[in-house]
C-alpha cells in the first residue's frame, strides 16, 4: 500500500529529527507509530486504518 510506505518514510524521518533534538515529548509516540508500521504487527492494521481515516478527513 502506497500510504504505508509513505508513512514509514515520514515517521522515520520525523523520528530521526526528534531524536537529534532531544527536546520533544512526542518522540515516544512517533517511535511507536514507526515501530508498528515497520514491524507490521497485528496493531498495524488498526493504526493504518486510523491514519487513513485521518488523511481522508483532511480537506483537499
Amino acid at each position: 500500500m502506497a500510504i504505508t510506505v509513505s508513512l514509514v518514510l515520514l515517521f522515520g524521518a520525523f523520528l530521526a529529527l526528534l531524536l537529534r533534538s532531544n527536546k520533544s515529548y512526542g518522540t515516544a509516540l512517533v517511535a511507536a507509530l514507526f515501530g508498528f508500521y515497520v514491524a507490521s504487527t497485528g496493531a498495524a492494521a488498526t493504526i493504518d486504518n486510523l491514519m487513513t481515516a485521518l488523511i481522508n478527513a483532511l480537506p483537499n
Side-chain angles (χ1 to χ4, degrees):
M1 182 175 199
I3 288 178
T4 303
V5 173
S6 299
L7 286 175
V8 168
L9 294 175
L10 177 70
F11 284 135
F14 192 51
L15 180 60
L17 291 172
L18 288 175
L19 288 174
R20 294 197 87 179
S21 71
N22 285 333
K23 296 180 181 177
S24 176
Y25 295 105
T27 306
L29 175 64
V30 174
L33 290 170
F34 179 70
F36 280 122
Y37 276 106
V38 171
S40 296
T41 62
T46 303
I47 294 173
D48 187 40
N49 290 338
L50 175 67
M51 296 305 292
T52 302
L54 288 173
I55 289 169
N56 290 334
L58 294 175
N60 292 329

